[in-house]
Amino acid sequence: MDPRAGAGEEMPSEGRRRVVIDQLLPAVDGGRFDVKRVLGDVLLVQADVFPDGHDHIGVRLRHRPPGAADWSELPMAEPDDDRWSAELPLTRLGRHEYTVAAWIDHFGTWRHDLVRRVDAGTTTPVDMAIGAALVREAAGRAVGGDRERLAAGADAVDGEPTPERIDAAMEDDLLRLMQAYPDRRFETVWEPALAVTVDPPLARFGAWYELFPRSASPEDGRHGTFRDVIERLPYVADMGFDVLYLPPIHPIGRAFRKGPNNTLDASLDDPGVPWAIGAAEGGHMAVHPQLGTLADFDALVAAAAEHGIAISLDLAFQTSADHPYLDAHREWFKARPDGTIQYAENPPKKYQDAYPFDFETDAWRELWLELLTVTRFWMDHGVRIFRVDNP
């Protein structure tokens, strides 16, 4: 610690950062949560940025799209006050990061002061030499032909403040090159970066129609199928719906199966509750055999898309007593003192046919990864919208 610092104080890691970024917008809860937008939106990013004196500053919006390793940059518009802004077109789905970087623009400051000196008639060769030195430093940072152009620009500026040298100093091409290769050694960057999650347009608004596939049969007494739902698609589309929501389409457990009106006495003909997921035929990555096959489901997704309709599935993270998970991963469920598994309840209602997962289990990581696998499984079958049950 520097002995000149006060008790308990430490020197800053870099005291030559002279630009302050007071806040970055948009931000949700100070950046704790992502901003939300949809594909095609333009994100207006604003930041209050100012130096510690009267120097000019350079300010850039830094942006990293999903999957990118490197940052891209956009210039931010210089304001009348201290709030800088830039518009970021959102052309890719996913999570985009953004932040702001700012630094002292020594050439911009010199150029501004040169105009005032010329107007006052006080320009000296030293003033021109200072500007030329800044241009030569930029030439050292430049690449390709820009290096030679900047070096030539420095020579054109250096010397007596003749009208030709002053005109050379004020050329737009020189300014553009200097802005392309600024001295950013002591830049300030807003940290941590913020993020915007870009979703499909249906995330903003969609008209949802709920349909139980097993009830889609045109014949009384016959279990409906995915193929029957395909036949219903024109009806749904004609009403203007763009999302078709299907409750769970998985095999239904037989143990503790419920009958009409939640009765405990189900007959052999009662189909059970779709949310009691899992049986000998499979679990969350299987379809009820009476509905058809996965190929039939894929055909439904494709046919719906032809009508401008997206298929939404119920993401119900619970099981029946017959789900394969009960045998393979009993540790994913909460055991009661008598050794039985805790079924779902919403007192005074009891759902004996459905077992919630124990998200506080010691095996939470394996459970979490399995549920991620379930979600990605249905994404691979064309589902991009989920209704989350018991969120």
Side-chain angles (χ1 to χ4, degrees):
M1 186 173 78
D2 192 306
R4 293 166 295 180
E9 296 178 354
E10 295 182 1
M11 292 291 290
S13 60
E14 179 51 80
R16 292 172 289 183
R17 294 192 182 101
R18 297 175 47 212
V19 180
V20 175
I21 303 175
D22 186 51
Q23 65 174 335
L24 178 59
L25 299 171
V28 178
D29 200 7
R32 184 181 179 191
F33 302 103
D34 289 2
V35 173
K36 295 293 185 72
R37 295 293 187 272
V38 301
L39 193 65
D41 279 351
V42 175
L43 185 72
L44 175 63
V45 180
Q46 297 178 305
D48 293 335
V49 190
F50 48 89
D52 61 2
H54 298 287
D55 291 284
H56 285 219
I57 57 176
V59 185
R60 302 270 176 87
L61 168 63
R62 304 186 71 197
H63 166 240
R64 185 158 59 187
D70 300 323
W71 293 88
S72 301
E73 292 190 339
L74 294 172
M76 298 192 78
E78 186 171 359
D80 293 329
D81 51 20
D82 294 322
R83 178 155 291 186
W84 294 67
S85 63
E87 293 184 341
L88 176 63
L90 301 173
T91 58
R92 292 176 58 182
L93 294 173
R95 191 172 190 265
H96 300 242
E97 293 179 281
Y98 59 96
T99 186
V100 167
W103 58 91
I104 297 294
D105 179 5
H106 295 289
F107 181 78
T109 303
W110 175 84
R111 191 172 185 267
H112 173 265
D113 291 345
L114 179 63
V115 173
R116 300 174 71 176
R117 289 189 176 99
V118 170
D119 291 343
T122 62
T123 312
T124 69
V126 172
D127 297 322
M128 304 304 291
I130 291 172
L134 292 172
V135 178
R136 289 193 180 96
E137 289 176 5
R141 295 186 292 270
V143 296
D146 290 345
R147 181 186 294 266
E148 288 73 24
R149 282 187 282 272
L150 282 167
D155 292 339
V157 169
D158 206 358
E160 291 291 333
T162 63
E164 292 78 14
R165 287 196 172 96
I166 291 172
D167 287 344
M170 301 303 296
E171 281 187 357
D172 289 340
D173 286 345
L174 180 60
L175 177 62
R176 178 184 60 79
L177 286 169
M178 291 299 291
Q179 290 175 338
Y181 301 100
D183 180 1
R184 297 175 61 168
R185 290 174 296 162
F186 310 125
E187 70 178 0
T188 301
V189 179
W190 179 275
E191 294 178 333
L194 303 182
V196 52
T197 294
V198 180
D199 288 317
L202 275 176
R204 173 171 289 157
F205 176 81
W208 287 45
Y209 186 83
E210 181 179 6
L211 184 152
F212 284 77
R214 70 188 190 187
S215 300
S217 172
E219 307 169 23
D220 290 341
R222 179 174 71 77
H223 196 287
T225 66
F226 294 132
R227 296 290 176 177
D228 293 327
V229 176
I230 291 175
E231 297 301 317
R232 299 281 289 171
L233 289 174
Y235 167 75
V236 177
D238 287 345
M239 290 189 291
F241 291 98
D242 43 31
V243 178
L244 177 60
Y245 156 55
L246 307 180
I249 57 174
H250 317 295
I252 298 173
R254 293 171 177 80
F256 308 107
R257 178 172 287 193
K258 294 296 187 74
N261 300 317
N262 208 37
T263 178
L264 297 175
D265 300 320
S267 70
L268 294 177
D269 296 329
D270 287 324
V273 178
W275 284 270
I277 297 170
E281 298 87 353
H284 284 73
M285 290 180 280
V287 297
H288 197 296
Q290 288 183 282
L291 293 175
T293 64
L294 275 172
D296 294 329
F297 177 79
D298 293 340
L300 169 58
V301 172
E306 293 177 358
H307 288 277
I309 296 173
I311 296 295
S312 171
L313 289 186
D314 214 61
L315 205 61
F317 286 155
Q318 62 203 30
T319 77
S320 74
D322 300 322
H323 198 294
Y325 288 157
L326 266 296
D327 290 330
H329 297 285
R330 196 174 181 86
E331 70 277 9
W332 291 353
F333 302 87
K334 185 174 293 184
R336 303 201 300 177
D338 62 359
T340 60
I341 300 297
Q342 177 64 56
Y343 52 76
E345 289 188 87
N346 184 14
K349 297 178 181 178
K350 296 183 178 183
Y351 306 104
Q352 296 91 339
D353 56 343
Y355 292 166
F357 289 112
D358 178 12
F359 293 106
E360 297 179 7
T361 173
D362 290 341
W364 67 268
R365 189 179 301 275
E366 293 78 9
L367 172 59
W368 194 95
L369 290 172
E370 177 67 13
L371 299 182
L372 176 63
T373 299
V374 169
T375 307
R376 286 178 169 168
F377 176 87
W378 292 108
M379 291 175 66
D380 289 342
H381 284 274
V383 179
R384 289 294 184 272
I385 304 175
F386 296 91
R387 178 259 182 184
V388 181
D389 186 56
N390 292 328

